[in-house]
Structure formats: C-alpha cells, structure tokens
Amino acid sequence: LFVPYQFVADILPRYLGELYSFDREAGRLVQRGPAAATTAAPKRLPNGLLPGHIVTVDAGHGGNDPGTIGRYLPPGITEKDITLQMALLLRDELTRRGITVRMTRTTDTRPNLLGRAPTCDASCDLFVSLHVDALPRTRRDYRSVTGFSTLIIGEENSADAARVAQTENEALRFESEQDQDLAGGPLAFILRDLQMNEYLRESARAGALMQAHLEPAHPGVNRGVKQRNDLAVLNTGRRPGVLVEMGYGSSPSDAKFLASKSGQQKIARALAD
C-alpha cells in the first residue's frame, strides 16, 4: 500500500498522536506503546465516580462565526453566545462532580473547526459540542418545530441529520482552503471510518443518555440520536464524540427557554447527569 509521505510524516501524528509519532531522522513512523497499567485499584470519589475522567466541552461557533441567528433569540444574541454560556455552565457542573473539563473556547473566539475534537486526546473520555438549531423561514412549520437532538458519526444519514450537517458545516467557510479540502477529501473519509468503527457504540450510548436526561428538563420534543458521516467538527475526533442541538432558535418556546437562566441551568445539569 503506497500513501503520500505527508500522510505518515504530518497527518497521522497530528490526528493520531496518541498512537503514532514520526522519527524524521530515521524517516520512520513509530507506533507508541500502551501506557503501563497500574496495579492498585483507584479510590472512588464520594459520588461513586472513578477519579481522572476528562471531558472536552466545545462551545460551537464563535468570533466572526455567529452560527445560527435564530429569529426568536433576544436581540443581539446568536448561537455562538448561547453555546458559550451553556459550555461554561456545563463546565462548572462537571467540575463540581469531579470531572476535569477542557474547553475549546471560554471567550468569543473562533477555534479552528477541525482542531476542536482532537483536543480530546487519548487521556480524554468524551468530546461534547454544543449547538443551537434553526429552521429556515421558507418552511411553513419553522416556528412550530421544537426540541433537542444529539448527532454522532455514523452512516444512517437521515434527511434531518443531513440538514443539520449542512448548517453546521457552513462554519468551514471561515477556515483555510487546505482545511476545507481536509474536511471533504480522502483523509476525512479515513479519519471518519476509524472513529466510527472504534467509537460508534460509545458515542451512541452517550447520546442516548443525554437525550434521556434532557427529556424531563426540556419543554421541546425529544428528537433522538441521529447519525451523519460528514459532520466536520466530529470527523477529526479520535475519541467518543457527540454534537448536541439544544433547541431551535426558530421556535419561540425553545428560544425563550435557551435564553433564560433557568433553562440554561436545566440543560447544563441534564447534560452533566
């Protein structure tokens, strides 16, 4: 099998650094060995969790990428503002429960779309990207559709998941041409295939749990766990990952809930649970 030199020298170490490094002097790809196992059983936290868990929380969009401009969100508030507020609240909830949290952003900045999921490396347990959905006004039912859903990498590719992927992938326009090619080219297929085969079960389980805990806390409809194979923000991940659409900015009731302090706290607690 022949592959480009750049693939083994730059790409594999960049995205699979926990598994491979490249020895430039020897011109060899080196596979890293497994970490040494500890013999002593770790003590559990007072809440029963094992210590040492790490979750990466990604506030979708940011900076010059406002994300969804939901018609019924408060004036001057867009998706990037809601996701940041929710990410900070989720961080605080998880930290209180003994979970270490990594953030892709804590202010109004725009991290590289393809570099977000890889911040959840081999030591990290789960990547969670937070978003707000919205339907176009060309749809007659755009105001009446409510609810929350979780997306993971998979091949089911429902029509609604395709719509969400198209909306979220619009953020690629802020990235370089090289990154845009990376998101849609052969490498994206390889990375997506690796992630899907290894972490589909874990991602699906995380998504199902999130939907189950959000249902009693959210006024909208439980729209379930959906699969899509071209979500740019998840495709570069090498750990279990989910994208949570927390509600519709195009729905008066969802938008009010998402923008309220009590609504945000309920979502943060449910996701942390």
Side-chain angles (χ1 to χ4, degrees), residues 92-110:
D92 294 345
E93 282 289 337
L94 290 171
T95 300
R96 278 196 287 270
R97 301 165 196 229
I99 304 295
T100 299
V101 179
R102 296 175 184 168
M103 303 284 286
T104 59
R105 69 182 181 102
T106 56
T107 58
D108 187 18
T109 57
R110 184 184 60 80

Side-chain angles (χ1 to χ4, degrees), residues 118-130:
T119 60
C120 186
D121 57 19
S123 64
C124 175
D125 297 288
L126 180 67
F127 174 77
V128 182
S129 188
L130 303 179

Side-chain angles (χ1 to χ4, degrees), residues 228-245:
R228 189 68 196 174
N229 64 4
D230 57 355
L231 276 163
V233 71
L234 294 183
N235 279 357
T236 54
R238 287 294 294 128
R239 298 292 291 153
V242 297
L243 185 153
V244 183
E245 293 286 0

